[in-house]
Amino acid sequence: MAFLLYLPQKMNLKELIRQLAHEVGFELVGFTHPSPPPHLETYLNWVAQGRHAGMAYLATSRAQELRADPARILPGVQSILVVGMRYFNPARHSTPPTPLHGKVAAYAWGKDYHEIILERLEQIAHRIKTLNGAPLTYRAYTDTGPILERDITMQAGLGWIGKNTCLISPRHGSYFLLGVLFVDLKIDPDPPFTTDQCGKCRRCIEACPTHCILPDRTIDSSRCISYLTIENKGSIPADLRPALGNQVFGCDICQQVCPWNLCFGKLDGSPHLAPHPEQPFPHLPTELLLTPQQFKEKYQATPLLRSKRRGFLRNLAVALGNTRDPQSIPALLTCLNHEEEPLVRAHVAWALGQIGTPLALKGLHEALQQERDPAVLDEIRAAIQSAQSG
Ligand code: SF4
Ligand code: SF4
């Protein structure tokens, strides 16, 4: 027997779905209808100004058409379930054990969330089918769908888009990952969230190490540490490397300073996203020497695979350069002389130039004689110059 014949039964189904979503691990649950996203213009301007940097998939006309109208995502879609799963608060492990340990953004401390969230959205879809006693057409996304996820979340009443561009829940702060389920089933929407609770605060804008938060609540991705260390597949611009500090995968800074996280961000997240012991703070010199096989084994099924080994080792090299710690010279020299990826060798050369001791300089001069890649040679020469002038 279908549930949807009478209004009270419809409301029951909605509350059953909400309860089910809580049971499978989502603390935030809301419902909305497909409608034009309120910040479509902002997104189109952001793309037009090239603020999406190397993420070309965000700028195709298809990507823009789909984002303009969520109803195009799934023919016949009538409702959207929006869920959020809390991850561990970066304050839970805020200080690396030693200066030679790097920092990973807190959402990436555990298993790959895509699988975890999509699996649970699938479970919900199957339960809706059973409860409703009718076929269901649906589509589930987390993070990767051609949709303006934060707009949809705001419309589902779960929070507002802060100046740091994160979706902020007044009850939970912003340390959560979002998932959406499009369904061809009519469910009463929740009231949208309409207030901006940032007020006069500017803490995130002032704390951002690369000054990439823009006044229209977008980010200049080409300067954002999250982009530079994850999505960026090439070199990290030399003028931005010092601002990365010890961040080796993503960045939590604009969330960590937010009063909504300081006041309401619980320390523990969902057990499904529990941190792996070493993942928050990788030991920089050790991980710089991970072979392709070791990297794969260590980080399989975690978000860190996203940067690929070459991107991750590039980030480790920058973090080591920023420590200026001579203890890391042996690992850097081994990497400079034996690493196959030119991208990594180039950033290792920069790191040795930052450390600038006679031993680092000697290694750079020796590498200058052996190196064949033009981009790495340029980095070695620049590093020698920097070490000599510093
Ligand atoms: Fe700035 Fe880091 Fe936030 Fe990017 S993630 S906007 S670099 S504070
Ligand atoms: Fe808004 Fe302040 Fe949080 Fe930035 S730090 S998102 S301005 S409340």
Side-chain angles (χ1 to χ4, degrees):
M1 157 82 72
F3 260 77
L4 299 178
L5 297 176
Y6 306 105
L7 183 64
Q9 288 173 321
K10 262 193 223 178
M11 293 177 72
N12 280 344
L13 179 63
K14 176 178 171 176
E15 289 320 310
L16 281 169
I17 297 170
R18 198 189 296 279
Q19 192 187 324
L20 177 61
H22 286 312
E23 277 168 20
V24 298
F26 297 116
E27 291 214 14
L28 288 91
V29 185
F31 297 85
T32 187
H33 283 164
S35 56
H39 297 103
L40 178 66
E41 251 343 275
T42 311
Y43 155 70
L44 294 174
N45 285 337
W46 179 74
V47 167
Q49 289 166 19
R51 307 288 197 196
H52 59 296
M55 295 178 283
Y57 60 91
L58 294 173
T60 62
S61 51
R62 180 78 180 142
Q64 298 188 8
E65 275 165 32
L66 292 173
R67 281 171 176 79
D69 182 7
R72 284 178 171 234
I73 299 281
L74 178 74
V77 59
Q78 296 195 62
S79 310
I80 308 172
L81 164 69
V82 186
V83 291
M85 185 178 280
R86 278 192 312 107
Y87 55 86
F88 279 61
N89 189 327
R92 188 86 166 75
H93 302 284
S94 58
T95 317
T98 74
L100 285 178
H101 286 78
K103 264 189 182 175
V104 167
Y107 80 85
W109 286 356
K111 287 189 191 148
D112 186 353
Y113 61 92
H114 293 96
E115 216 172 287
I116 293 168
I117 291 180
L118 289 177
E119 214 172 68
R120 279 158 181 79
L121 288 174
E122 288 282 336
Q123 283 175 22
I124 293 172
H126 285 288
R127 279 297 296 280
I128 294 174
K129 263 194 248 180
T130 313
L131 288 167
N132 197 33
L136 180 79
T137 306
Y138 65 92
R139 189 150 298 161
Y141 290 116
T142 178
D143 194 20
T144 49
I147 49 175
L148 294 182
E149 215 167 40
R150 285 163 299 172
D151 269 12
I152 292 175
T153 310
M154 210 173 87
Q155 286 168 304
L158 294 178
W160 76 101
I161 299 173
K163 290 179 193 171
N164 62 5
T165 78
C166 295
L167 198 287
I168 305 178
S169 151
R171 289 182 50 226
H172 299 281
S174 64
Y175 296 135
F176 53 83
L177 297 159
L178 295 171
V180 289
L181 185 70
F182 286 63
V183 290
D184 66 342
L185 179 69
K186 188 133 183 67
I187 304 171
D188 290 337
D190 289 330
F193 202 95
T194 50
T195 55
D196 169 15
Q197 300 197 16
C198 281
K200 291 186 178 156
C201 176
R202 288 177 48 84
R203 294 181 69 156
C204 52
I205 296 169
E206 283 155 14
C208 173
T210 60
H211 312 292
C212 66
I213 301 178
L214 303 172
D216 62 352
R217 297 188 192 211
T218 63
I219 294 220
D220 178 356
S221 304
S222 66
R223 299 180 61 80
C224 174
I225 295 170
S226 283
Y227 169 79
L228 290 169
T229 56
I230 304 173
E231 298 302 325
N232 167 35
K233 302 302 172 214
S235 181
I236 296 174
D239 63 323
L240 292 175
R241 291 175 196 166
L244 266 62
N246 62 353
Q247 311 281 155
V248 293
F249 187 93
C251 168
D252 289 323
I253 294 169
C254 56
Q255 295 192 81
Q256 282 184 281
V257 297
C258 179
W260 292 93
N261 283 330
L262 292 169
C263 298
F264 302 111
K266 293 177 199 160
L267 278 186
D268 285 343
S270 160
H272 307 299
L273 299 169
H276 292 167
E278 290 174 24
Q279 216 153 292
F281 302 123
H283 184 250
L284 301 168
T286 308
E287 305 245 337
L288 187 69
L289 301 178
L290 286 178
T291 63
Q293 186 59 26
Q294 288 167 331
F295 176 79
K296 206 168 145 200
E297 277 166 15
K298 179 156 191 186
Y299 291 120
Q300 66 182 338
T302 76
L304 275 82
L305 279 189
R306 178 89 187 154
S307 63
K308 301 205 166 48
R309 173 181 173 273
R310 64 200 289 269
F312 187 57
L313 266 54
R314 168 201 63 193
N315 304 340
L316 298 170
V318 171
L320 280 169
N322 287 333
T323 68
R324 300 191 177 214
D325 187 336
Q327 283 184 73
S328 60
I329 293 175
L332 287 164
L333 290 178
T334 304
C335 190
L336 186 62
N337 294 321
H338 300 288
E339 170 58 42
E340 288 196 354
E341 291 283 356
L343 179 75
V344 178
R345 296 200 302 279
H347 289 74
V348 163
W350 178 83
L352 286 163
Q354 295 302 108
I355 296 170
T357 60
L359 181 60
L361 207 47
K362 180 171 171 279
L364 285 166
H365 278 293
E366 284 168 7
L368 197 57
Q369 306 309 314
Q370 309 298 327
E371 183 61 56
R372 292 290 168 264
D373 185 282
V376 184
L377 280 168
D378 285 350
E379 288 275 5
I380 295 175
R381 289 191 196 101
I384 290 174
Q385 204 174 9
S386 148
Q388 285 170 339
S389 62

